[in-house]
Amino acid sequence: MTVPGRRSSTFSRLLRHGFTDPSGAERLLDVPELSTLRGDDVLLDALGATADPDLALRGLVRLVEAQPETERQTFTTTLLAAKPFRDRLLGVLGASEALADHLARHPRDWESLVTYEAADLHPGVAEFERGLAEATDEVSLRVAYRRCLLAIAARDVCGTIDVAETAAELADLATATLRAALAIARAAAPADAALCRLAVIAMGKCGGHELNYVSDVDVIFVGEPAQEAGDPEGGEAKAMQAATRLASHLMRICSETTVEGTIWPVDANLRPEGRNGPLVRTLSSHLAYYQRWAKTWEFQALLKARPVAGDPELGAQYIDAVSPLVWQAAERENFVPDVQKMRRRVVDNIPAAQIDRELKLGPGGLRDVEFAVQLLQLVHGRSDAGLHSGTTLDALAALAAGGYVGRADAAQLDEAYRFLRAMEHRIQLYRLRRTHLVPEDDADLRRLGRSLGLRTDPVAELNKEWKRHAAVVRRLHEKLFYRPLLDAVAQLAPGEIRLSTKAAGQRLEALGYADPAAALRHLEALASGVSRKAAIQRTLLPVLLGWFADSADPDAGLLGFRKVSDALGKTPWYLRLLRDEGAAAENLARVLSAGRLAPDLLLRAPEAVALLGDPEGLRPRGREHLEQEVLAAVGRASDAEQAVAAARGVRRRELFRTAAADLIGSYGTEDSPREPDPGALVDRVGEAVTDLNAATIAGALRAAVRAEWGDELPTRFAVIGMGRFGGHELGYGSDADVLFVHEPREGVDEQDAAKAAGKVVAEMRRLLQLPTADPPLLIDADLRPEGKSGPLVRTLKSYAAYYHRWSLVWESQALLRAEPIAGDRELGDRFIELADPLRYPAEGLGEDAVREIRRLKARMESERLPRGADPTLHAKLGRGGLSDVEWTVQLLQMQHGWAEPGLRTTRTRDALRAAHAAGLISTEEAQTLDEAWVLATRVRNAVMLVRGRPGDTFPSDPRELAAVGRYLGYEAGHVGEMVDDYRRITRRARAVVEELFYGA
């Protein structure tokens, strides 16, 4: 019976010792088996030192109850008398529910925690092999494995070994286990064992001597016939079959689940051809695959390969054969993009709900450290054999010693990696489950924090330390590749090792820079010196270089940044913007490395970089605001040329804003993911370029009128947008298709009015094409009546008379996109009233008109496609391109626009949606035509952005083609897939055109 006062005293003691359920702990302490220990402060002190005293006490009660009566006294006596044993046992029980279960099933295994008590031995493979020696089948091997694991966990939780030593011991235990499993498999099939030689090559964390408590053990199997000479015919095939049976049996022994649980899954999917390839290959077969077919990631994986079981001579031959291939991997084409793509794929596959808890794969996680270190090893290991280590921390130390990574950075990364690995170990140790997710439950977080020595406020301290170390990893992951490049050209702190020029060039070349020498000169110009500008740029450049390297043209990005910095480096706000506004720096990097157009626009007025840091800076401005700004600038100018120069300056800035927003929306950034709807990007670009060109023409019109007539022209004057201009579908390289219409004011002679209108048109065109640093705006009036031979400007009556008497069907078709864009709005609206009956004829088109439109389209296809152009890849005139889709939609508009109001629009996509809504085309047909039109438009925009000049087909230059691919959403190395997709999508669109337009 418990005395109340004594109960209260015990309750308080339990709280002080870290128990969260003192009532439950009291009940456990009342069980007869622990009655002799109840009042012993030694036991409570030891329980209070564990990660979870409640868990440790429950495990202890189970273990005591499981002891045979004859052994119980020995156990309790040892527990109280031997502090090292007590700390180890209770430490394990307080950290691992799974190992407590093991001890309850095998109550004599506590004795293994006394084995190393005297000398704190650090066992190697041989010691573990002795621990597994008596295992003769799968079950006994699992029991022996857990017994050895118990000893490692005890040393780990008590701090006898650090996290790196724990990982190495786990890898050694895995090696011993693979050897024991292979011995069991051989004993079960001695005939197979006699036929073949089999070597087991450890990969991944096991190969790198840095295994987790619970992890797949990655392996590759190499086999050879037991006798290389004198084999009968077919001997090699029989030997490989035997080796495959042995390897399969080994995998089952380790991977299958029994009452004793699973040891760990053996994963052979890193072998050539993955799970589709043979489980066992000969050495020559491995080499043939790696020399001909292997991908970059396979060589990266081989960096950690080491023989661990089976035939040691064959294992050594395998490593000797593949090692040279590993250290040549950095010379492969697309080496860095392949590595980066693999990293991105890993992150992209993490469920969104888990990414903030993902300790291994998420941003700032363990994989970031491992990828960074491996990439640097592969780049510099070609010429420095000291970097040939499969162990992450050893390789990091070697990189620092060689000057490839700054010593301070390496020390920070080492500390962060050790902390994150310790978290991972303790999370897995609890239930011996393979997981890398940080738990959400406070009780789990409390146990985890206490296991890492955080005792004041375990949950808060754990979260703080975890986030701090993850932030360090994220920052250094980006910096690790690039900081030494700066140190190679900038002043260093005393005693720092400088990366050699050769090594810096190697790294730049491996990161995708085509001209490493020029890149180093740019870095020297940007980072050298003691000025504030140089200091800030040294801080910015590591991450900027990373973004440049992630693009299709890193050299152009770095060169552009140097030019912008040369122009703005002394402007205080510029460097402050890039330093303090993370989005601005990344946006600038994306824009500078994506092609020629946006950087050219920016370098003509570098102050526009300020747009990249403003949250609203990339939002297109509407036509009304643009026109107000342009007309105000024109009003302040002293002459027409200055006025239009100001208008063209506004256009240049807005063109840059539009291009930058398009590029960032297409590529995506950390703060702004890729725009998921390509059609939305196309619509925004078309609307924005149309608005700014309309505002520029309005400014040029105002300037031309003011120069000769002051505020009022003797004739009313309007500009009608045609083609893609009228359709709000302009691209970056589009001309402005227009018609000019005028109407004499009351009392003005018609000839005088016509002369004035002609002078206005001539002056507008001259002003807009003056040679300046700004991109020209070309006015194209060839869609006017009589084409190039007709007058540039007509009165409204003249248009009406011409269309009434002479108009051809193609001219009515051209009017489908007519829309007033500048000048006298009322006159423009009356022109549209004149056009409507022509473009939407009552009762639709007659058969003759339909035949004429089809004839014109067929003639255009045969005559206007440039000589030598691939008709399957020409975005405008090719199969399923813009012309195909637009003529099909326009034919529907002319046939049905009189009856369907939704078809009376100048916009192709709106008309397509209206045709679908009216039941004129099916959902699939509408989607097919829309997809092809959007894609072809994006190709034209991409070509202009990348090359800085218009084009209707994919570039032939590989870098330009890769940049177009990145704009369209294809990762590096996938331009072939892009071209195939384009052909497939436009081929389907052409099939729809054949049916709807030609009636085929």
Side-chain angles (χ1 to χ4, degrees), residues 835-868:
D836 278 350
L838 295 162
R839 56 187 181 177
Y840 310 125
E843 305 302 326
L845 291 174
E847 290 185 8
D848 289 345
V850 172
R851 277 197 299 271
E852 177 63 11
I853 289 176
R854 289 171 175 167
R855 187 187 67 81
L856 288 171
K857 176 71 168 67
R859 180 182 170 187
M860 184 180 70
E861 289 177 13
S862 64
E863 295 180 0
R864 291 184 58 189
L865 191 70
R867 181 177 297 177

Side-chain angles (χ1 to χ4, degrees), residues 770-823:
L770 284 172
T772 69
D774 297 316
L777 176 55
L778 300 178
I779 300 295
D780 187 341
D782 290 352
L783 291 177
R784 65 187 184 271
E786 302 175 77
K788 293 181 180 180
S789 60
L792 276 172
V793 59
R794 290 176 181 260
T795 63
L796 186 62
K797 286 182 181 179
S798 176
Y799 276 107
Y802 175 86
Y803 286 133
H804 176 72
R805 186 172 182 184
W806 304 108
S807 176
L808 301 174
V809 68
W810 74 263
E811 292 175 301
S812 297
Q813 182 182 352
L815 288 171
L816 283 167
R817 290 171 146 198
E819 181 175 289
I821 54 99

Side-chain angles (χ1 to χ4, degrees), residues 311-451:
D311 190 301
E313 182 182 352
L314 180 57
Q317 290 172 347
Y318 176 87
I319 297 300
D320 290 342
V322 301
S323 288
L325 302 177
V326 172
W327 303 110
Q328 294 165 10
E331 299 170 3
R332 292 166 60 90
E333 187 178 1
N334 294 322
F335 164 69
V336 168
D338 285 347
V339 176
Q340 293 169 334
K341 181 172 62 180
M342 185 164 65
R343 177 71 187 113
R344 279 193 295 268
R345 187 183 299 130
V346 168
V347 175
D348 291 345
N349 287 334
I350 302 172
Q354 296 180 357
I355 195 163
D356 290 336
R357 297 192 294 124
E358 182 48 79
L359 194 64
K360 175 182 178 181
L361 304 177
L366 292 161
R367 189 58 62 87
D368 274 351
V369 182
E370 293 159 358
F371 262 62
V373 170
Q374 289 168 22
L375 180 53
L376 293 178
Q377 284 181 274
L378 291 172
V379 170
H380 299 297
R382 291 175 287 176
S383 56
D384 188 345
L387 303 180
H388 295 187
S389 171
T391 305
T392 301
L393 291 178
D394 290 349
L396 180 59
L399 287 165
Y404 305 104
V405 174
R407 285 197 295 268
D409 290 346
Q412 281 189 294
L413 206 60
D414 181 281
E415 180 189 8
Y417 187 73
R418 288 175 184 273
F419 182 85
L420 296 175
R421 283 301 303 274
M423 279 186 69
E424 181 184 46
H425 279 185
R426 302 302 165 78
I427 291 169
Q428 293 185 348
L429 183 58
Y430 176 46
R431 286 183 175 154
L432 289 181
R433 290 180 182 170
R434 185 174 181 267
T435 179
H436 312 288
L437 291 179
V438 178
E440 296 178 288
D441 183 76
D442 277 355
D444 291 330
L445 291 171
R446 180 177 183 272
R447 181 184 59 257
L448 180 57
R450 283 173 60 91
S451 76

Side-chain angles (χ1 to χ4, degrees), residues 472-612:
V472 167
V473 170
R474 287 189 70 179
R475 178 176 61 83
L476 292 179
H477 172 68
E478 296 164 341
K479 180 182 176 184
L480 205 57
F481 306 110
Y482 309 108
R483 179 87 261 163
L485 295 173
L486 306 184
D487 292 343
V489 296
Q491 293 182 352
L492 296 172
E496 283 285 338
I497 299 174
R498 183 188 296 270
L499 193 66
S500 71
T501 301
K502 178 183 176 182
Q506 281 182 334
R507 187 173 301 186
L508 283 165
E509 187 176 12
L511 291 168
Y513 288 83
D515 189 350
L520 282 172
R521 289 195 299 271
H522 298 325
L523 290 176
E524 185 171 12
L526 288 162
S528 295
V530 294
S531 67
R532 175 178 173 274
K533 172 186 172 183
I536 293 177
Q537 288 183 158
R538 280 196 294 273
T539 302
L540 291 170
L541 274 168
V543 67
L544 285 171
L545 285 169
W547 286 324
F548 295 149
D550 191 39
S551 74
D553 195 348
D555 301 81
L558 181 56
L559 174 61
F561 180 67
R562 180 180 176 183
K563 289 180 177 179
V564 172
S565 291
D566 286 347
L568 293 177
K570 294 182 180 179
T571 308
W573 61 263
Y574 166 67
L575 290 173
R576 185 169 62 246
L577 172 77
L578 297 184
R579 182 191 64 198
D580 298 339
E581 298 289 342
E586 184 172 5
N587 289 345
L588 178 62
R590 299 300 184 202
V591 166
L592 290 175
S593 56
R596 296 179 185 173
L597 178 64
D600 285 350
L601 293 169
L602 178 60
L603 291 170
R604 289 168 182 166
E607 64 276 3
V609 77
L611 299 174
L612 301 176

Side-chain angles (χ1 to χ4, degrees), residues 419 459-469:
F419 182 85
V459 176
E461 291 177 74
L462 174 67
N463 282 319
K464 180 181 178 182
E465 286 298 293
W466 170 34
K467 299 302 181 187
R468 179 175 71 84
H469 285 297

